Amino acid sequence: MLLWFVIIYWIISVAIGIYAAKWVHNTKDFAVAGRRLPMYIVTATVFATWFGSETVLGIPATFIKEGFSGTIADPFGSSLCLILVGLFFARPLYRMNLITIGDYYRKRFSRPVEMLTTLCIVISYLGWVGAQIKALGLVFNVVSDGQITQQWGMIIGASTVLVYTMLGGMFSVAITDFIQMIIIVLGMLYIGWEVSGLAGGVGTVVAHAASAGKFNILPAPELKDILWFFAAWITMMLGSIPQQDVFQRVQSGKSENIAANSSILGGCLYFCFAFIPMFLAYSASLIDPKMVAANLDKDPQLILPNLILSPIVPIFAQIMFFGALLSAIKSCASATLLAPSVSFSENILKPFFPRIPDHKFLNLMRVVIVGFTILVTSFALSTEASIYKMVENAYKVTLVGAFVPLVCGLYWKRSTNLGAMLAIVFGLLVWIGFETLKPEGVMPPQLAGLVASFAGMIVGSLALRSLQREATT
């Protein structure tokens, strides 16, 4: 029954995504849904995009092993990212009437800055999208009781998500996200209530986790621990801000107030609901401690699915859980396939075809989505990294290569094109150098890269202005 439910649900959701393609008439419709989505749709797509495989599978597995201190990047950092976007970035970017965030870098700085930051953004999506595809493979493998291998599950999942994303773009993503958000919320609340009864109640689970030290969030009072804790926190909090998927959502709203408020509300909703999978997974240690112990060393990401599939959980609860899980993964996968493909097409390829008609460029965007899907699926099939680590590592490149030019370009009038170029180059070189030479040193590589990026922006901007003043005198 569970497998048939998954099949039927999958077919219906893909059909809805394909139906939404009827509203796509040009590249603006495809990329940002024509900038005409209401607040409830934008909020839903912000929430559903971020509530992905790492939230349901990756975060709980990390929480069981490391507690809150291991989840500082997500959900603490990631939810703050959405709130910061709504407070400081959504309105000024919305007023610029852009298609991609790469357009901002070109208008504020130059074409080379646009290309470099866009490449950083596109590369960062390899890990995030790869995590969603890897999770799809895991779900198909689990619900089919091993009849579908995880590899074939990845291929099936990626190809079906590709179909409606390629046809409907942001309209398909937004409408399916809205439906999937409802399923996620209802499914998580119901399964939380069901599992809490099996574990002896919410109070029992919370008390057990507290006594085990799982709620300790601060690092040890050592310099290295503090720096690595801070680096993990800002990697997703700041590194996620210059991302096309976040930008697309704030640009899709009818007004700048909708853009800002939807991001803030979506971040708050995500923060609240991200704790439910953690609660469910930790409940497993009370309900079935042997299963948890067996999976901790093998694959902790399987703890929650194995708990739900145990005979003590009613079939309806299993259906609700896997419905919510599939909704979470699909919404995130479709959004993260669309975002880098649109950015690469608009900011890398389009300048080479300056006179291309809009309908042909729309087809080019769809071809890029197909190519990116093939690339990311191959990456997911070959990597052994955990879902949580794949997502966390995805934002290091945008943290060191794209964040500083964005924030300084908006809020520091003295920032210049030279400063932006040096920020990108210094940030990337220092980060790569630390990753190569001292990946486990006292200074986290991404934090060193961020400091170098700020230094490059300040030196480049002030040096150029100093030279200009000397030339005028």
Side-chain angles (χ1 to χ4, degrees), residues 206-225:
V206 171
H208 193 280
S211 64
K214 298 300 181 182
F215 295 156
N216 297 333
I217 191 169
L218 295 178
E222 301 288 340
L223 178 61
K224 181 177 180 179
D225 292 325

Side-chain angles (χ1 to χ4, degrees), residues 224 228 389 396 434-445:
K224 181 177 180 179
W228 279 84
K389 284 299 179 184
K396 291 180 181 179
F434 269 73
E435 288 282 5
T436 304
L437 301 176
K438 288 190 175 182
E440 304 292 336
V442 174
M443 174 64 78

Side-chain angles (χ1 to χ4, degrees), residues 238-302:
L238 304 182
S240 303
I241 291 176
Q243 287 285 2
Q244 176 63 16
D245 62 281
V246 178
F247 175 85
Q248 277 181 308
R249 274 132 197 81
V250 301
Q251 289 292 309
S252 299
K254 288 182 178 180
S255 67
E256 64 179 70
N257 286 332
I258 288 176
N261 295 335
S262 297
S263 185
I264 295 171
L265 181 57
C268 293
L269 285 172
Y270 175 73
F271 183 76
C272 294
F273 277 88
F275 289 96
I276 296 180
M278 282 191 259
F279 169 80
L280 296 175
Y282 196 80
S283 298
S285 63
L286 302 181
I287 298 170
D288 193 349
K290 290 184 179 179
M291 181 273 291
V292 172
N295 281 284
L296 269 178
D297 295 325
K298 181 182 177 183
D299 189 354
Q301 294 168 156
L302 291 173

Side-chain angles (χ1 to χ4, degrees), residues 69-81:
S69 61
T71 63
I72 188 63
D74 195 4
F76 293 97
S78 54
S79 54
L80 273 173
C81 163

Side-chain angles (χ1 to χ4, degrees), residues 421-442:
M421 287 294 295
L422 290 182
I424 298 167
V425 174
F426 283 11
L428 290 173
L429 288 178
V430 171
W431 170 58
I432 293 171
F434 269 73
E435 288 282 5
T436 304
L437 301 176
K438 288 190 175 182
E440 304 292 336
V442 174

Side-chain angles (χ1 to χ4, degrees), residues 1 10 46 74 78 86 126 141 172 192 214 236 304 314-315 338 364-365 374 423 450:
M1 183 184 294
W10 197 260
V46 168
D74 195 4
S78 54
L126 282 173
N141 177 255
S172 291
K214 298 300 181 182
M236 291 194 72
L304 189 49
I315 184 64
L338 178 66
L364 179 61
M365 280 186 175
I374 294 171
L450 179 63

Side-chain angles (χ1 to χ4, degrees), residues 280-395:
L280 296 175
Y282 196 80
S283 298
S285 63
L286 302 181
I287 298 170
D288 193 349
K290 290 184 179 179
M291 181 273 291
V292 172
N295 281 284
L296 269 178
D297 295 325
K298 181 182 177 183
D299 189 354
Q301 294 168 156
L302 291 173
I303 290 174
L304 189 49
N306 284 339
L307 170 68
I308 302 301
L309 286 173
S310 63
I312 60 174
V313 178
I315 184 64
F316 183 70
Q318 295 177 354
I319 290 173
M320 291 296 289
F321 172 79
F322 282 101
L325 176 57
L326 282 172
S327 296
I329 299 171
K330 282 177 72 278
S331 59
C332 194
S334 59
T336 50
L337 280 178
L338 178 66
S341 303
V342 168
S343 289
F344 188 80
S345 303
E346 176 74 18
N347 302 114
I348 303 296
L349 294 182
K350 192 174 183 179
F352 294 103
F353 305 96
R355 298 177 182 175
I356 187 172
D358 189 75
H359 69 281
K360 289 187 177 180
F361 186 60
L362 177 58
N363 291 332
L364 179 61
M365 280 186 175
R366 287 170 169 156
V367 171
V368 171
I369 289 178
V370 175
F372 189 75
T373 303
I374 294 171
L375 175 64
V376 144
T377 304
S378 301
F379 173 73
L381 287 168
S382 61
T383 184
E384 296 295 329
S386 70
I387 291 171
Y388 187 86
K389 284 299 179 184
M390 288 173 72
V391 173
E392 182 183 358
N393 292 336
Y395 299 107

